[in-house]
Amino acid sequence: MSTGPDVKATVGDISNDGNLNMAQEECSRKGFCSVRHGLALILQLCNFSIYTQQMNLSIAIPAMVNNTAPPSQPNASTEWPSTDSQDYWNETLKEFKAMAPAYDWSPEIQGIILSSLNYGSFLAPIPSGYVAGIFGAKYVVGAGLFISSFLTLFIPLAANAGVALLIVLRIVQGIAQVMVLTGQYSIWVKWAPPLERSQLTTIAGSGSMLGSFIVLLVSGLLCQTIGWPYVFYIFGGIGCACCLLWFPLIYDDPVNHPFISAAEKRYIVCSLAQQDCSPGWSLPIRAMIKSLPLWAILISYFCEYWLFYTIMAYTPTYISSVLQANLRDSGILSALPFVVGCICIILGGLLADFLLSRKILRLITIRKLFTAIGVLFPSVILVSLPWVRSSHSMTMTFLVLSSAISSFCESGALVNFLDIAPRYTGFLKGLLQVFAHIAGAISPTAAGFFISQDSEFGWRNVFLLSAAVNISGLVFYLIFGRADVQDWAKEQTFTHL
């Protein structure tokens, strides 16, 4: 990380040259070829890897418990048949599946294994964000990505060794994944110009939706063809390959990056010159507790992730139970909202920055407008779902529209913490992750309770509750949300006598 004097010296040089406008024009002509956009794409790949590693066990565990592959024939020939190559390929796939073991895990044990990933999620975000803010995100995020990817490769071996080792591995893996998801936002404090903050963060964040889409789409196919262990080998290998890009290409500060152009460096540093980005060791906890704009973001985070985790957990169940879709079709249909959401997240970020750069709307207006759109329309759509369930096409259209429109929140309240307190970005992101995990722990449980009580009206009650929670968070955010840097997040100056 660069020191304060180095940054001030660089800013002084820029001011003396008077080349900011020229640098900005040159950087805008480069568009997505800039280093900062390359950083966003690498972070997108990191998020893609983390989300595939989060979800792969949930999809592979039915095959791990109920393996119906026929036993391998000890006398079967492994030579290439001269009659039909397709028969040889089919036999090869059967041999792959036969090598995948099956386990006698009860539903209770399966639940513990699946939930073990979240055991460290309540404690790890705040320390991870704080450390990333102080020491830089490069090594915090890189270490988390490597640990999670490396451990993913060993999940099949851990499953063979016993349930206890698998649970321990998943707990460590969950902590490593929190390091990636929390620490990465500290990078944008030094890399994201205010007029491009939305698009850069949404490009990076869209990897989560893309990862969810891919893992839902292909994991079932991998389990059916070559066996469930390869779900972990493939996605763990992708994460390890991503580490090869991360460590040599990512730097915490554009001033120290060896491949960035002088014009882009001038533009980024000068655009952030008036913003105090230097992290502080001490935290103004008392001022944070009293800050209504911060509480507006925290409550909005909780409410929006309530709906997100409900949809994440129960979309496959809703499609299979209400639409009577088979397992393969349910996986494909469940993946559709995520790929549309991935595209709309990026488009929403570009639109938000366009409105801000052209001075069409103020920053706080953009944050509140995008949050309102991302909350109100999906809430109305989801409440209407029970009345269109007789039509499969309308149901899927509503689910896709809900995912697409809710992605506007990524350019609204969900990125607002970067505006009000850039000095404490890492810590605040960790705090927000805790609120998101609390919502993730409560909302699926509440949804399961409603569905188990009344199979006919349970889904309606689930969607009504999610809409009510979401809209209540929106009202609080519209009243108390702000986009200017708060006093407690500004550097304190002292007069020495």
Side-chain angles (χ1 to χ4, degrees):
M1 296 180 65
S2 63
T3 60
D6 293 336
V7 175
K8 291 179 180 178
T10 306
V11 174
D13 294 339
I14 296 171
S15 301
N16 293 334
D17 295 337
N19 291 331
L20 175 60
N21 292 333
M22 182 177 65
Q24 185 172 359
E25 291 175 2
E26 183 175 342
C27 290
S28 63
R29 287 197 299 268
K30 287 184 178 180
F32 286 95
C33 295
S34 64
V35 173
R36 61 191 183 277
H37 283 93
L39 170 61
L41 292 175
I42 294 176
L43 271 173
Q44 182 190 54
L45 181 58
C46 292
N47 288 322
F48 168 87
S49 300
I50 290 299
Y51 269 78
T52 57
Q53 294 165 23
Q54 278 188 351
M55 299 180 64
N56 53 15
L57 184 60
S58 300
I59 300 173
I61 201 167
M64 298 171 69
V65 176
N66 299 313
N67 188 359
T68 58
S72 58
Q73 301 297 326
N75 297 326
S77 173
T78 57
E79 296 179 0
W80 187 282
S82 58
T83 55
D84 191 354
S85 60
Q86 185 62 38
D87 291 339
Y88 170 77
W89 176 245
N90 292 334
E91 290 298 324
T92 303
L93 292 181
K94 289 181 180 179
E95 292 178 5
F96 271 118
K97 292 177 65 178
M99 290 187 295
Y103 306 101
D104 186 19
W105 293 338
S106 66
E108 291 78 10
I109 292 178
Q110 294 179 48
I112 294 173
I113 293 172
L114 291 174
S115 61
S116 61
L117 190 71
N118 299 314
Y119 288 169
S121 298
F122 294 98
L123 302 177
I126 293 178
S128 298
Y130 179 78
V131 172
I134 297 295
F135 297 104
K138 175 176 181 176
Y139 294 106
V140 172
V141 175
L145 178 63
F146 176 76
I147 293 171
S148 177
S149 303
F150 185 73
L151 292 179
T152 300
L153 298 174
F154 285 90
I155 286 180
L157 289 177
N160 279 331
V163 173
L165 180 60
L166 179 59
I167 291 174
V168 171
L169 185 148
R170 292 285 287 176
I171 293 174
V172 176
Q173 190 179 29
I175 295 174
Q177 291 173 0
V178 167
M179 292 168 61
V180 177
L181 298 176
T182 303
Q184 63 180 273
Y185 283 86
S186 297
I187 289 180
W188 298 123
V189 176
K190 294 289 184 68
W191 275 95
L195 297 181
E196 298 178 1
R197 187 171 289 159
S198 296
Q199 62 177 281
L200 291 173
T201 56
T202 52
I203 289 172
S206 65
S208 61
M209 287 287 190
L210 183 60
S212 302
F213 166 71
I214 294 297
V215 76
L216 284 169
L217 191 65
V218 306
S219 291
L221 180 63
L222 292 174
C223 290
Q224 291 178 356
T225 54
I226 60 177
W228 63 261
Y230 288 88
V231 173
F232 303 102
Y233 297 150
I234 291 174
F235 290 117
I238 292 174
C240 291
C242 184
C243 293
L244 300 178
L245 291 176
W246 178 266
F247 286 104
L249 296 179
I250 301 301
Y251 285 77
D252 291 311
D253 197 322
V255 174
N256 300 324
H257 202 288
F259 306 123
I260 191 172
S261 66
E264 183 179 3
K265 184 188 299 184
R266 286 197 301 268
Y267 168 55
I268 294 174
V269 173
C270 193
S271 65
L272 297 173
Q274 303 302 319
Q275 177 177 288
D276 181 24
C277 301
S278 57
W281 285 91
S282 61
L283 296 170
I285 299 296
R286 184 177 300 178
M288 288 181 178
I289 294 175
K290 296 179 180 179
S291 175
L292 286 176
L294 177 57
W295 276 108
I297 300 173
L298 291 170
I299 293 174
S300 184
Y301 239 81
F302 175 87
C303 296
E304 289 169 24
Y305 271 90
W306 178 290
L307 178 61
F308 173 79
Y309 279 111
T310 301
I311 297 301
M312 175 79 77
Y314 282 98
T315 294
T317 304
Y318 186 81
I319 291 175
S320 61
S321 62
V322 176
L323 303 185
Q324 302 297 317
N326 59 40
L327 184 60
R328 183 196 64 184
D329 293 340
S330 177
I332 296 174
L333 294 175
S334 299
L336 286 178
F338 292 102
V339 69
V340 176
C342 173
I343 297 172
C344 291
I345 284 177
I346 298 175
L347 294 179
L350 293 172
L351 177 60
D353 285 338
F354 172 81
L355 295 174
L356 183 62
S357 62
R358 298 300 177 92
K359 299 182 179 180
I360 299 174
L361 295 174
R362 295 187 304 130
L363 180 58
I364 185 57
T365 306
I366 293 173
R367 298 292 186 234
K368 292 185 176 182
L369 175 63
F370 276 57
T371 304
I373 294 173
V375 168
L376 291 176
F377 287 97
S379 298
V380 172
I381 291 172
L382 289 177
V383 170
S384 305
L385 265 179
W387 281 271
V388 298
R389 61 183 179 181
S390 59
S391 172
H392 290 196
S393 59
M394 285 296 296
T395 298
M396 286 309 306
T397 300
F398 275 32
L399 287 173
V400 170
L401 283 176
S402 173
S403 177
I405 301 175
S406 64
S407 65
F408 277 74
C409 291
E410 296 288 342
S411 300
L414 299 186
V415 76
N416 194 196
F417 67 98
L418 281 169
D419 304 319
I420 68 168
R423 293 188 71 200
Y424 306 109
T425 292
F427 173 80
L428 292 182
K429 179 58 182 177
L431 184 61
L432 292 168
Q433 285 289 101
V434 171
F435 275 69
H437 286 306
I438 294 174
I442 299 174
S443 59
T445 305
F449 172 79
F450 283 119
I451 296 170
S452 64
Q453 292 296 311
D454 191 331
S455 59
E456 183 177 355
F457 297 103
W459 289 108
R460 184 194 64 181
N461 295 333
V462 168
F463 296 138
L464 283 173
L465 176 62
S466 298
V469 171
N470 220 10
I471 292 174
S472 63
L474 171 65
V475 172
F476 193 89
Y477 179 74
L478 292 178
I479 295 174
F480 297 107
R482 299 291 183 271
D484 53 322
V485 178
Q486 299 299 293
D487 291 337
W488 50 266
K490 297 177 181 177
E491 185 176 6
Q492 301 296 319
T493 56
F494 301 93
T495 302
H496 297 280
L497 298 177

